[in-house]
Amino acid sequence: MTESTSPSFAGLEVGQVVAEREIAFTRDMLVRYAGASGDFNPIHYNDVIAEEVGLPGVIAHGMLTMGVGASVVEEWAGAGNVSDYQVRFTRPIPVPNPGEAVVTVSARIGALDEERRTARVDLTVAHGETKVLGKAQALVDCE
Amino acid sequence: MPVNPDAAGRSYGPFEPYEVTRVKIREFADAVDAWSGAHRDVAIAQAEGFQDLVAPTTFAVVIAQRAEFHVVTDPEVGVDFSMVVHGEERFTHVRPLVAGDVITTTVHVDEIKQRAGISMVTTRAELVDADGAPVSTVTSTLAVREAA
């Protein structure tokens, strides 16, 4: 027996918030993401090198921010149900040491396609008041 | 040295196949705060209709970036990696990646746009499974600043 986890298309409304999450980015998270992804660019763990290339210090991997955004969408959509996902990286997230950078993710329905039974989920990802992703959109296959 | 605009249209690969493992899926799911049991427990994944553990949405970047590495380190393309900022990324999945997949990747340099000392380099990685069936397309745009 298989149990589909796709969300139901019926009842969805444009503008509806389907998932939200607050994540505290820490240096530990960046190291963990570096290892998991294989992206060992030192600007994500070494302050000296980050400052040498003109950054305020160590910044989060854009792909970590993008990946966390997908996880928030998946929390509603179910694993394996996002068929298309795109973002623009507009602002870096400096991650202090010690300390944390609090990132908020809000996923709302941006558009609905009745024929294909897909929902476009628009993500707002912010560090404090600063939006860090632009045009962050995920396409979700619905039942 | 600026990026060479004539590198647009080049292709790299296919490279040695990448084997998607349960361990790597779990590790990646932990790293991106993905909570679904289908990333961790085979029984849950199978109950949801997947052959094995299902990868998080952006897992394909692990495979794509290994292939893109050949572009950014090609001296004839001329990317100074210390001057790179990630501009855009897009995943288009035909189906989700699952543990046990053996993925072969080819990467194409689709476009190089230059203005005001910045080169925008867009690559497209095409991921296919062991049967040659398309699985995912990963499009990535890097902004490369010219050294002052």
Side-chain angles (χ1 to χ4, degrees), chain A residues 50-103:
Chain A
E51 282 162 22
E52 267 174 18
V53 299
L55 295 166
V58 160
I59 61 167
H61 303 75
M63 287 307 305
L64 169 60
T65 310
M66 184 181 192
V68 165
S71 298
V72 176
V73 177
E74 272 189 28
E75 188 186 339
W76 166 72
N81 294 324
V82 177
S83 59
D84 191 287
Y85 179 39
Q86 62 177 318
V87 310
R88 267 188 210 144
F89 302 100
T90 51
R91 287 277 185 277
I93 301 175
V95 177
N97 179 39
E100 58 187 37
V102 176
V103 175

Side-chain angles (χ1 to χ4, degrees), chain A residues 2-3 5 21 23 33 35-36 41 53 63-64 66-68 71 74-75 79-80 82-89, chain B residues 24 27 31-36 39 47-50 54 56-58 82 86-93 145:
Chain A
T2 62
E3 197 180 315
T5 57
R21 199 183 293 181
I23 305 108
Y33 185 78
N41 189 330
V53 299
M63 287 307 305
L64 169 60
M66 184 181 192
V68 165
S71 298
E74 272 189 28
E75 188 186 339
V82 177
S83 59
D84 191 287
Y85 179 39
Q86 62 177 318
V87 310
R88 267 188 210 144
F89 302 100
Chain B
K24 197 69 186 175
E27 187 187 349
V32 296
D33 209 21
W35 298 344
S36 169
H39 303 312
E48 292 183 7
F50 301 105
V54 60
T57 303
T58 63
S82 69
H86 202 168
E88 294 175 30
E89 187 83 7
R90 181 172 195 167
F91 298 86
T92 305
H93 298 302
R145 289 172 294 153

Side-chain angles (χ1 to χ4, degrees), chain A residues 1-121:
Chain A
M1 279 291 289
T2 62
E3 197 180 315
S4 168
T5 57
S6 305
S8 170
F9 187 83
L12 291 179
E13 281 176 32
V14 171
Q16 179 184 350
V17 174
V18 291
E20 286 180 296
R21 199 183 293 181
E22 190 178 283
I23 305 108
F25 279 25
T26 59
R27 293 286 174 96
D28 295 27
M29 268 184 86
L30 306 195
V31 171
R32 191 181 296 269
Y33 185 78
S37 67
D39 181 344
F40 293 103
N41 189 330
I43 62 171
H44 305 304
Y45 61 83
N46 185 323
D47 284 303
V48 174
I49 289 178
E51 282 162 22
E52 267 174 18
V53 299
L55 295 166
V58 160
I59 61 167
H61 303 75
M63 287 307 305
L64 169 60
T65 310
M66 184 181 192
V68 165
S71 298
V72 176
V73 177
E74 272 189 28
E75 188 186 339
W76 166 72
N81 294 324
V82 177
S83 59
D84 191 287
Y85 179 39
Q86 62 177 318
V87 310
R88 267 188 210 144
F89 302 100
T90 51
R91 287 277 185 277
I93 301 175
V95 177
N97 179 39
E100 58 187 37
V102 176
V103 175
T104 54
V105 181
S106 173
R108 70 175 64 226
I109 304 291
L112 293 165
D113 185 331
E114 181 113 43
E115 208 169 302
R116 295 191 173 130
R117 298 188 87 70
T118 55
R120 193 191 80 208
V121 177

Side-chain angles (χ1 to χ4, degrees), chain B residues 118-129:
Chain B
I118 296 177
S119 298
M120 303 293 286
V121 180
T122 301
T123 59
R124 172 174 45 90
E126 297 287 358
L127 281 58
V128 303
D129 66 17

Side-chain angles (χ1 to χ4, degrees), chain B residues 132-145:
Chain B
V135 179
S136 299
T137 301
V138 182
T139 309
S140 184
T141 301
L142 300 179
V144 188
R145 289 172 294 153

